[in-house]
Amino acid sequence: MTVTEARPKLFTGQHLPLVLGVIGLVTLGAFENRAVGTALPTMVREFDALGSFGLANAAPNASYLISLAIAGLWSDRRGPIPTLRAGAISFALAQLLVGTAAAMPMVVAGRLLSGLAEGLLDVSLMVLVARALPAVLRPRMFSLFAAMWILPSVLGPVLTGVVTEQFGWRWVFLGAVALLVPSWLLLRPAMRQSAGAPAPERTAEDAAELAAWRAALPWALAASVALFTMTVAGDHLQAHPVLGGTAVLVALLVLGRAAVRVMPAGTFSARRGFPAVVAVRGLGGAAFAGVGAYLPLLLTLQHHFSPSKAGVTLSITGVCWAFGSWLQGREHGFARVAVLRTGLAFMTVGLAVTSLLAWTGATTWFGLIGWGFAGIGMGLSSSSLSVLTLDLSDQNNSGRNSSAGQMASTMSIATGLAISGTLLAFNADNPRPWVFGTIITAGAVAAAAGLLATKRIGLE
């Protein structure tokens, strides 16, 4: 009689504390991300520092990039636990700093620390999942990552608004510190298991890769500075077009040079294997985020939506992204690359339909259905890229590979937003439909390029 081994399950046995702890941290980070956008306008008015609004928004993006590079190297050399611990401490300190701020510089410092925490947590959680969960459970785990953004996307702004109005904006951040404790306690069993695992053997090839990554850290710092400069300069482009335009151009050149140095060799030619995964991640991220950033403005200016009604795109994004991620986590029997291609095909078609909101007089519901399809495609593809990243990694390089993928997405999104922001800034007095049409169509083209690049991944 043959005894078949029971298929592992995500919400039972030894995996349950890890799953609940990761869900808690991801949800907490998502609420913090959504809360800042709601509370920040009140904060800058209270401190009479409206000119620092762009600075406070840009700060975490800059520190996030260098944090990813550090987290990748640290997690591979010492395991995910020290990186995870540093990320949790940084998150708590960031919330305390903002929550007790006496002036806007403290808020900006807290936002810088928040970006640092996000990078450390993102990479260390990926590595912890890779070490603590069997490969068969990873797709479902990544679908939960996306699902945990639904409530923050839908309820986060409302809850933040209520807390800000009833108790003051400081409690939005101070409350997050208290919620961090139970999530951390739930992760302790998985952390002990990971800490007790034997250290992976280092090969000469791995040592060379580690040395190359250490050499790339200064370029990651340069990319962070360029990203920060580009964002701030874009905010002042209309007031100082020559100086701001020059700063954006120089920052783009530095960012491009840094990307060549920090990305895996072969990324820009989509070389077969992991470099192609990184290339697809960059293209897909830029395509979706670039459109999402301008869709509410398009609906407000061209279709006369109220700000609250235009914000429905955030709800569509959260729900459809989570649904797509849920679909890829089911036991569907399709190859992982096939799921990725399906997602990118959904994105390409969905963004092309969304562009009709700008190019034609199509009804808004038709364009928003297209945006919903793009969201499903993003859920299918982003989670599949996370799974493929771990499938093409081992214990020696899972941290660096995870951070490389996220850095590619961050830099490509920043570059796309800088270019589209410049285009909008030079037409700010009366943005014509072709401005938004060009931005959204460029997103569809980037998604199509990502779809073509999946042929180079090489896993079926």
Side-chain angles (χ1 to χ4, degrees), residues 30-94:
F31 264 110
E32 190 267 350
N33 181 282
R34 292 292 185 249
V36 169
T38 305
L40 196 56
T42 302
M43 295 158 63
V44 295
R45 285 197 302 269
E46 181 174 315
F47 290 127
D48 193 21
L50 190 61
S52 298
F53 184 83
L55 194 63
N57 270 320
N61 293 328
S63 55
Y64 179 66
L65 202 55
I66 184 62
S67 177
L68 287 173
I70 295 171
L73 181 63
W74 195 3
S75 295
D76 286 340
R77 286 178 60 86
R78 304 297 181 190
I81 307 308
T83 315
L84 183 61
R85 186 179 296 114
I89 293 172
S90 299
F91 179 85
L93 290 176

Side-chain angles (χ1 to χ4, degrees), residues 383-406:
S383 295
S384 294
L385 286 167
S386 296
V387 174
L388 286 168
T389 296
L390 296 183
D391 287 347
L392 291 168
S393 306
D394 54 38
Q395 289 194 23
N396 287 324
N397 60 14
S398 57
R400 281 168 286 155
N401 285 354
S402 297
S403 64
Q406 293 180 69

Side-chain angles (χ1 to χ4, degrees), residues 98-180:
V98 176
T100 60
M104 203 61 195
M106 286 182 67
V107 174
V108 174
R111 299 288 289 140
L112 282 168
L113 197 55
S114 180
L116 178 69
E118 185 180 357
L120 294 172
L121 290 173
D122 283 355
V123 174
S124 59
L125 286 177
M126 284 276 286
V127 176
L128 186 63
V129 165
R131 296 191 179 189
L133 290 182
V136 70
L137 292 179
R138 292 172 190 168
R140 294 198 64 190
M141 189 71 230
F142 290 126
S143 71
L144 287 177
F145 273 44
M148 291 309 101
W149 279 80
I150 295 180
L151 281 178
S153 296
V154 176
L155 299 180
V158 177
L159 289 176
T160 302
V162 171
V163 172
T164 300
E165 292 171 5
Q166 299 297 322
F167 306 102
W169 58 264
R170 296 180 186 277
W171 287 103
V172 173
F173 302 95
L174 296 176
V177 179
L179 295 174
L180 176 65

Side-chain angles (χ1 to χ4, degrees), residues 408-424:
S409 180
T410 301
M411 286 192 281
S412 60
I413 290 172
T415 302
L417 290 178
I419 295 172
S420 56
T422 302
L423 178 64
L424 182 63

Side-chain angles (χ1 to χ4, degrees), residues 187-234:
L187 280 174
R188 292 298 295 276
M191 291 167 60
R192 283 195 297 267
Q193 178 184 351
S194 178
E201 295 184 7
R202 302 289 181 188
T203 64
E205 181 182 1
D206 183 61
E209 290 179 359
L210 282 171
W213 191 262
R214 281 195 299 269
L217 284 179
W219 285 102
L221 178 60
S224 294
V225 174
L227 178 58
F228 186 77
T229 302
M230 190 163 51
T231 308
V232 175

